[in-house]
Amino acid sequence: IMVLELLLGLSFGYAAALQPTCLSAQFRRPGDYILGGLIPFGTDTVNLTARSEPTLVVCERLFIDGLIWALGMKFAIDQINNSTTLLPGVKLGYEMYDTCFEPVVALQPSLLFLTRNGTTGIGVLCDYTDYQPRVTAVIGPHKSDLCLVTAKLFSSFLIPQVSYGASSEKLSNTELYPSFYRTVPSDKNLVEAVVLLLNKFGWNWIATIGSDDEYGRGAQELFLSIAGNHSICIAFEGLIPTDLSDPKAKSQLEETITLINKTNVNIIVLFAFSQPAQALLQHSIGMGLSKKVWIGTEAWVLSDIVTSIPNIQSIGTVLGFVMKVGTVPGFQEYVADLFASVQEDKFCQESRKLNDLMNSEVLDTQCTECDHVSLHDVSSMLSRSQIQPMHVAVYSVAYALHRALGCTHQACPKATIRAWQLLHFMNTLPFTVNGQSFRFDQSHDTNSGYKLILWSWKNDTLTYLPVGDYEEFFYINKSQIQFHTADQKEPTSECFRHCEPGQFRRIKGFHLCCYDCTDCPENTFWSTKDSSTCTPCLEHQWSPARSTQCYARSERYLFWNEPLAIALLVLMSITISLTCLTAVLFFKNLETPLVQASGGELNLFALSTLALLCLGCCLYIGKPSNEVCMIQQILTCLCLNGCFSTFFIKSLEITLVTECPRCAPTFLPWVTPRRAWLIVASCFLTECAFCACSLRVGADSLVPDYQSLPTEVLLVCSTQSWLAFALLHGYNNCLAIVCFLCTFMVQTSGKQCNLARGITFAILIYFIIYIFFIAVFTTLKTVLRSVAQIGSILTTSLGILGTYYLPKCYIILFKPDMNTVEYFHNSIKEEPEEDSQ
């Protein structure tokens, strides 16, 4: 029956639409308490940019949604006035004015609402506690940018203002806007829903576009901040103009489409009202933009302006979040009855009389086109327009007034209520509208949640298919969504792939959340706490590339069982054996001319120090310690000193005989075997003194080296002070230099033994080995450093044996006829150049 009445009303209204009605006279009524309404009856202001005088701004085109919202406000107030329980005995009046979606237009009626009741002037007072403005509360405006202007105005007077459409998060600031309320969720809730949808499908490479107004800019700013925390990469972000009459608007839209094409994104999030969205979609169709997934809001996805664009199906898949709102029972019948009534002369005469009581000469509703609208013109929008937010906004003020007056279910006492007194009652208790409970939260918002709808086309007919919802949790039925792709599955839109364990995100380009997956390098590991970097391992740990954990380093030094160590030990054994055999041979032939001429018992001392020097190689094998490191160089230097001191005595003897024959009788007794031990002892004690100084300056110590080897810690004896090193080796080098200088120029006849030559070659080999040793010692950082030290000790020992002692052993063993007093007696004799001429 209800549908039949509506159809009859449609047909009747369409037939009578040729004659003007009095619909424009229905938006102002007197009452005990007046509610002001800021409604967008029209859109498209006439030449606002060229306005040079403060004249009335006129809108070009009727906005059907705005008209329906105005009818919704009128319906709610009529319901309240007819109620016997909410405000019995109290009549609400109302004044509705056009905002034209322009702040400059909305300010004029806003100033009128602030005038002192019964006058057209605004009182300028220090205290507005007793000030009674024209209206008790304001309903509207619909857009956020208008609310940001008017809310400051009404908040200065603490007049309750309830918006039925403004969603900007800025309006949640109750310090700036203490008297502002709204019956729609904040954009923050909407943006969270969009981000959850993107995460649900794994879309992280998207474009976002907003209209260049408070709604578009605010929602996009919120989206960018939240999306960044959910690993969503914004390939493109842009704003589209809202003033489409601007000559630059077309080029801006074309540039936006071109830039989107370059990003190769498949997902576009659009925060815009219907007209900017219409312009963008028209250009995307005209420029051949490939099919995308468009994610929108009810600001445009439910708009007939957008859905009526030619070939709109070609844009791809459209998903939109719309508020979860209930129906308003009786509203469609109310509108049908009203459209029938405004065509009756008697009804119109009564309406105009009531309208005139509101001082219409001050400011009219400015909806002359409303008189030419029929029920047929608005019927398609009645079922889709969001009436409940407007309905709830009016009822929130009525309930606050009910509590402020102290009404009962039978009557309300007559009392003067200031507008600011309603705020306390709006903040506290919930209220019920059509069986549904509502309450303003701490930010003066209400959150009824969102539905996710899909544009479903069948035979060029559009239906809004619910596929999910979001209130406390997000739910989506993917099986109901048929995408524009060939297999109707969701398209991919990823800038990055999910990294495997052991990989970190390396940002590429200028997109902070767009990255490549890169393996963690050696000695770092991937931590689940931070996937954007690799955490370095501790100093005593290591890890291979692409590792998720670190491992303890194993110790590295020259092990006893290593082939190289075994080879060195064999060589050491051979060297010690040769040295001992030489000492035994010299001991058995101690009284022979050869041994006596070579130094006698001093040779046994020198050979014993060489054997001890070779035996000291064991200190370089095995796990080192601080004590071992401290002893290594000291033992080496003391043993070399014992050997070089015997050479020093022999070199002095050679020098006295060859260079200073006149002084020889005086000083030769000091180098005889008995007194020679004093020189040896003094040399040894001097070296001991240098060793003590080196320990004081800085002894060698054990240092773990974590840098040289990738998976091991190298235990090395580190030289703490190169001055200490110089003190240890410097004295021996000085002895060696003196020995070399005293012997290298000595010549003998072929019939006598040249003892100086053996010392010269022994010292020369020592210097050659020492130079290589220093070069290797200062550069090597591996176990080869110990090998180099052992090698230098053994080669020095073998060099001394081979050049000085082994030739004498050869004479003793194989040339005994040369081991005579004649061959070694006065064998050291210089042959000056003048004698040889």
Side-chain angles (χ1 to χ4, degrees):
I1 295 175
M2 183 182 69
V3 176
L4 181 61
E5 290 178 352
L6 183 59
L7 292 174
L8 290 173
L10 282 172
S11 60
F12 179 75
Y14 184 70
L18 296 177
Q19 295 182 356
T21 65
C22 60
L23 187 62
S24 61
Q26 308 305 311
F27 305 115
R28 293 155 56 89
R29 290 291 183 270
D32 299 320
Y33 302 96
I34 305 298
L35 302 186
L38 297 174
I39 315 291
F41 287 102
T43 183
D44 297 342
T45 54
V46 179
N47 205 16
L48 188 61
T49 55
R51 183 169 176 257
S52 59
E53 296 180 1
T55 55
L56 185 66
V57 179
V58 181
C59 297
E60 254 185 351
R61 188 159 54 90
L62 179 67
F63 185 58
I64 298 297
D65 282 315
L67 175 59
I68 295 175
W69 292 329
L71 294 175
M73 180 176 174
K74 177 178 172 60
F75 172 64
I77 294 175
D78 286 348
Q79 266 191 334
I80 294 167
N81 287 337
N82 293 329
S83 172
T84 58
T85 58
L86 185 54
L87 290 174
V90 174
K91 185 178 182 182
L92 292 181
Y94 50 89
E95 288 186 279
M96 304 182 205
Y97 294 99
D98 188 13
T99 64
C100 207
F101 289 114
E102 287 291 343
V104 67
V105 180
L107 275 176
Q108 194 170 17
S110 298
L111 294 174
L112 178 63
F113 293 158
L114 295 177
T115 59
R116 192 186 299 270
N117 193 17
T119 70
T120 57
I122 300 176
V124 180
L125 306 174
C126 295
D127 186 356
Y128 285 93
T129 303
D130 297 324
Y131 186 79
Q132 187 66 50
R134 184 182 180 95
V135 297
T136 304
V138 177
I139 307 298
H142 179 264
K143 286 185 68 176
S144 295
D145 48 355
L146 272 65
C147 286
L148 288 171
V149 174
T150 58
K152 289 183 179 179
L153 198 60
F154 295 128
S155 290
S156 63
F157 288 81
L158 291 183
I159 298 176
Q161 177 185 7
V162 187
S163 174
Y164 51 92
S167 57
S168 173
E169 176 65 14
K170 293 180 181 179
L171 293 167
S172 295
N173 189 337
T174 54
E175 292 185 2
L176 289 177
Y177 313 104
S179 66
F180 179 82
Y181 298 80
R182 54 182 163 196
T183 54
V184 295
S186 162
D187 282 337
K188 185 177 181 181
N189 302 97
L190 172 65
V191 166
E192 288 174 349
V194 173
V195 169
L196 288 173
L197 174 64
L198 295 172
N199 283 338
K200 200 76 173 180
F201 286 102
W203 294 327
N204 53 43
W205 181 240
I206 66 166
T208 174
I209 303 171
S211 52
D212 194 7
D213 53 22
E214 183 55 41
Y215 170 71
R217 290 190 300 268
Q220 189 175 62
E221 182 179 347
L222 269 175
F223 176 74
L224 294 175
S225 63
I226 296 177
N229 296 329
H230 289 77
S231 300
I232 296 173
C233 192
I234 309 301
F236 171 80
E237 56 177 290
L239 296 173
I240 54 177
T242 54
D243 184 8
L244 302 176
S245 61
D246 190 340
K248 298 180 180 178
K250 182 179 179 182
S251 61
Q252 290 177 358
L253 291 167
E254 291 175 350
E255 182 181 3
T256 299
I257 300 299
T258 302
L259 292 174
I260 290 175
N261 247 335
K262 291 181 179 179
T263 60
N264 295 321
V265 297
N266 290 321
I267 313 299
I268 301 175
V269 179
L270 177 58
F271 299 105
F273 282 104
S274 55
Q275 288 181 318
Q278 176 198 24
L280 178 69
L281 295 174
Q282 279 180 334
H283 277 79
S284 65
I285 295 170
M287 295 177 66
L289 183 68
S290 59
K291 290 185 176 183
K292 310 287 183 185
V293 175
W294 294 80
I295 299 175
T297 65
E298 64 180 290
W300 65 270
V301 294
L302 297 179
S303 172
D304 281 345
I305 298 176
V306 175
T307 57
S308 61
I309 297 174
N311 200 25
I312 187 63
Q313 300 96 319
S314 64
I315 65 172
T317 304
V318 177
L319 293 168
F321 285 97
V322 297
M323 285 184 296
K324 292 169 69 174
V325 294
T327 58
V328 179
F331 177 64
Q332 293 190 13
E333 295 81 356
Y334 174 83
V335 173
D337 292 339
L338 181 63
F339 269 93
S341 300
V342 295
Q343 298 173 27
E344 299 174 1
D345 291 337
K346 182 179 179 181
F347 180 84
C348 289
Q349 289 175 2
E350 293 176 356
S351 298
R352 292 188 178 100
K353 287 180 182 179
L354 294 173
N355 192 56
D356 291 340
L357 294 175
M358 300 300 295
N359 296 326
S360 58
E361 71 278 359
V362 176
L363 183 65
D364 199 4
T365 301
Q366 297 298 328
C367 187
T368 55
E369 292 187 27
C370 294
D371 293 337
H372 301 280
V373 177
S374 68
L375 182 60
H376 180 269
D377 296 329
V378 300
S379 60
S380 62
M381 298 296 296
L382 279 175
S383 59
R384 292 201 301 272
S385 289
Q386 308 284 11
I387 302 301
Q388 190 187 46
M390 170 65 84
H391 200 68
V392 174
V394 176
Y395 267 87
S396 67
V397 176
Y399 271 99
L401 194 57
H402 173 91
R403 292 161 186 156
L405 290 171
C407 298
T408 65
H409 291 296
Q410 288 77 30
C412 290
K414 297 291 183 180
T416 301
I417 297 296
R418 308 298 180 194
W420 58 268
Q421 292 177 309
L422 297 182
L423 297 179
H424 170 71
F425 299 99
M426 295 187 71
N427 291 338
T428 54
L429 300 175
F431 56 95
T432 303
V433 181
N434 296 326
Q436 187 175 354
S437 180
F438 296 89
R439 185 172 190 166
F440 293 111
D441 59 22
Q442 293 181 345
S443 301
H444 297 175
D445 302 335
T446 59
N447 183 16
S448 57
Y450 293 92
K451 289 190 302 182
L452 178 63
I453 63 170
L454 169 72
W455 278 12
S456 180
W457 294 92
K458 290 185 179 178
N459 300 324
D460 294 333
T461 302
L462 173 63
T463 55
Y464 301 108
L465 180 65
V467 293
D469 62 71
Y470 171 68
E471 194 165 346
E472 293 183 4
F473 304 99
F474 181 68
Y475 164 77
I476 185 171
N477 188 350
K478 291 185 178 181
S479 62
Q480 286 188 302
I481 304 177
Q482 294 183 351
F483 288 92
H484 60 269
T485 53
D487 56 0
Q488 296 186 340
K489 300 293 183 180
E490 65 264 21
T492 58
S493 188
E494 293 181 313
C495 177
F496 58 85
R497 57 186 176 87
H498 293 287
C499 295
E500 298 294 331
Q503 295 181 320
F504 72 99
R505 302 173 179 178
R506 184 185 295 276
I507 296 172
K508 61 180 181 181
F510 57 89
H511 301 292
L512 296 180
C513 57
C514 191
Y515 53 80
D516 291 323
C517 292
T518 305
D519 293 347
C520 286
E522 293 180 350
N523 296 324
T524 64
F525 71 100
W526 176 78
S527 172
T528 55
K529 295 180 180 179
D530 184 10
S531 59
S532 61
T533 58
C534 294
T535 305
C537 293
L538 298 177
E539 192 177 37
H540 64 278
Q541 295 176 324
W542 75 281
S543 68
R546 196 173 177 176
S547 178
T548 57
Q549 62 178 329
C550 292
Y551 305 93
R553 288 177 178 267
S554 59
E555 293 180 340
R556 185 69 175 101
Y557 46 86
L558 190 59
F559 295 97
W560 289 97
N561 57 354
E562 284 189 54
L564 187 58
I566 294 173
L568 290 172
L569 288 172
V570 170
L571 181 61
M572 181 192 73
S573 302
I574 294 172
T575 307
I576 293 175
S577 299
L578 288 174
T579 305
C580 292
L581 290 173
T582 303
V584 170
L585 186 62
F586 269 54
F587 180 76
K588 286 184 176 182
N589 296 274
L590 187 60
E591 301 300 328
T592 62
L594 182 148
V595 176
Q596 290 298 315
S598 300
E601 294 175 353
L602 291 177
N603 289 316
L604 299 178
F605 176 74
L607 288 168
S608 63
T609 58
L610 281 181
L612 185 60
L613 176 64
C614 295
L615 193 61
C617 292
C618 295
L619 295 174
Y620 297 94
I621 303 176
K623 184 176 181 178
S625 64
N626 283 323
E627 292 76 15
V628 170
C629 292
M630 184 173 59
I631 295 171
Q632 284 177 350
Q633 296 297 327
I634 291 177
L635 180 63
T636 301
C637 291
L638 288 175
C639 291
L640 280 174
N641 182 268
C643 182
F644 287 165
S645 62
T646 61
F647 288 170
F648 177 65
I649 293 170
K650 199 65 184 174
S651 299
L652 289 178
E653 182 183 349
I654 294 171
T655 302
L656 289 172
V657 172
T658 59
E659 299 295 333
C660 306
R662 294 180 181 180
C663 300
T666 305
F667 292 102
L668 274 177
W670 288 95
V671 293
T672 57
R674 291 181 180 179
R675 294 184 180 181
W677 287 108
L678 293 175
I679 298 175
V680 171
S682 63
C683 291
F684 188 78
L685 289 175
T686 304
E687 180 64 23
C688 288
F690 281 120
C691 289
C693 291
S694 69
L695 291 176
R696 187 73 177 174
V697 172
D700 290 359
S701 61
L702 178 64
V703 175
D705 181 5
Y706 298 101
Q707 306 298 324
S708 300
L709 302 177
T711 63
E712 299 167 311
V713 51
L714 181 64
L715 301 181
V716 294
C717 292
S718 176
T719 302
Q720 299 299 314
S721 171
W722 287 103
L723 175 60
F725 184 87
L727 288 173
L728 282 173
H729 293 271
Y731 182 60
N732 286 336
N733 290 337
C734 290
L735 286 178
I737 290 172
V738 171
C739 293
F740 182 79
L741 293 176
C742 290
T743 58
F744 85 102
M745 289 295 291
V746 175
Q747 297 180 4
T748 61
S749 63
K751 296 179 180 181
Q752 293 179 328
C753 178
N754 190 347
L755 295 176
R757 186 180 302 166
I759 296 175
T760 302
F761 281 113
I763 298 301
L764 187 62
I765 289 174
Y766 165 75
F767 278 126
I768 293 172
I769 294 172
Y770 187 79
I771 291 170
F772 279 103
F773 164 71
I774 292 296
V776 173
F777 184 78
T778 55
T779 56
L780 275 181
K781 298 292 184 181
T782 64
V783 292
L784 294 178
R785 186 175 187 179
S786 296
V787 173
Q789 289 176 306
I790 296 173
S792 64
I793 290 172
L794 294 179
T795 50
T796 299
S797 300
L798 288 172
I800 293 173
L801 282 173
T803 57
Y804 188 75
Y805 291 105
L806 291 184
K808 296 172 178 56
C809 292
Y810 176 79
I811 293 174
I812 293 171
L813 293 174
F814 302 105
K815 299 285 185 179
D817 56 313
M818 297 178 64
N819 190 1
T820 61
V821 175
E822 292 78 12
Y823 187 69
F824 290 98
H825 181 67
N826 293 331
S827 60
I828 305 169
K829 181 180 179 181
E830 184 184 17
E831 296 182 3
E833 293 181 1
E834 59 269 21
D835 296 338
S836 60
Q837 289 178 351

